[in-house]
Amino acid sequence: EKARKKLAANAAKLVKHDAVLDGASLNATVSTALEATPAEDAAAALSEQQKRPSHPRFDLAASAARDAYPRDGMVGDIAWGSLKWASLDEAARSEAQLSAMAGEEIRVWPPFVLRVLRSALPKAGRVAERQTSERADVLRGLLYLTYMVRLYGQSRAIPPPAAADGDNHHPLARKLGIEPMDAWRELLVRFTAP
């Protein structure tokens, strides 16, 4: 024990807080590098989007809320096109179906989505094709939001699909009611760790 203490004391005497090999040169090199780095200029050169890489694509100069976060910055075109929103549109037209959706226990329909389906959907009709397109976009957005909530509710690791699944549809996706595989893949890529 005494020998160990003596060795530790001798080692402490050899190493001093200011005993850096060629310390003066190292200090000069670090000082020069700090002076040469234009930290403020580099930060100023980054766009707002580059300063926040984890955010979806956004536009601070947008004049409308709809344009501030463009849809293609959040959901890819393939997944967006594959969303089957027609059944959600039919459900929005029937109070009985909406009530049944609110009572489902296996598949989660967020209260926000049900509120929008009941009262805030753009009207569909022959008035203008734009209104029908806008209604379809809102329904697709609500469906994708619902899928996000369903995936978020999973508290355990998502296993890879079994080789026996002939239709290449993940069993968890089937259980959660996430039907198009493109939407399932997009959710996995965007919202799960590799």
Side-chain angles (χ1 to χ4, degrees):
E1 185 65 33
K2 279 187 176 182
R4 202 173 326 162
K5 286 183 180 179
K6 189 173 184 179
L7 284 173
N10 286 338
K13 289 178 187 175
L14 293 175
V15 179
K16 296 181 182 175
H17 68 281
D18 58 349
V20 175
L21 184 65
D22 200 15
S25 174
L26 180 63
N27 191 20
T29 304
V30 170
S31 298
T32 305
L34 287 174
E35 289 171 2
T37 305
E40 293 175 8
D41 295 340
L46 294 175
S47 70
E48 290 298 319
Q49 182 70 53
Q50 291 169 333
K51 290 177 186 175
R52 296 166 182 86
S54 61
H55 284 223
R57 194 167 56 84
F58 60 89
D59 180 12
L60 291 177
S63 59
R66 181 183 184 115
D67 301 327
Y69 283 96
R71 190 261 324 144
D72 60 343
M74 291 187 253
V75 183
D77 291 334
I78 294 172
W80 186 254
S82 72
L83 293 171
K84 299 175 182 173
W85 55 271
S87 59
L88 196 58
D89 190 27
E90 289 175 19
R93 298 172 194 271
S94 166
E95 185 60 37
Q97 284 185 331
L98 286 174
S99 297
M101 289 168 64
E104 286 185 16
E105 292 181 22
I106 296 174
R107 294 184 182 166
V108 177
W109 291 97
F112 168 78
V113 170
L114 294 173
R115 271 196 310 275
V116 172
L117 289 175
R118 281 194 169 98
S119 61
L121 276 178
K123 300 293 181 209
R126 291 176 260 167
V127 176
E129 185 178 311
R130 181 177 175 269
Q131 286 181 334
T132 304
S133 171
E134 185 176 333
R135 182 179 177 93
D137 285 347
V138 169
L139 288 166
R140 279 187 176 116
L142 291 172
L143 192 56
Y144 193 77
L145 177 66
T146 300
Y147 291 165
M148 287 171 50
V149 169
R150 290 177 185 173
L151 182 67
Y152 180 75
Q154 296 304 302
S155 59
R156 59 178 186 244
I158 299 171
D165 293 335
D167 60 354
N168 288 332
H169 204 290
H170 196 283
L172 183 59
R174 188 177 293 120
K175 177 184 172 191
L176 295 175
I178 302 174
E179 296 172 9
M181 280 306 293
D182 293 328
W184 173 252
R185 286 186 201 104
E186 176 105 10
L187 288 166
L188 289 180
V189 167
R190 290 186 183 263
F191 301 109
T192 60

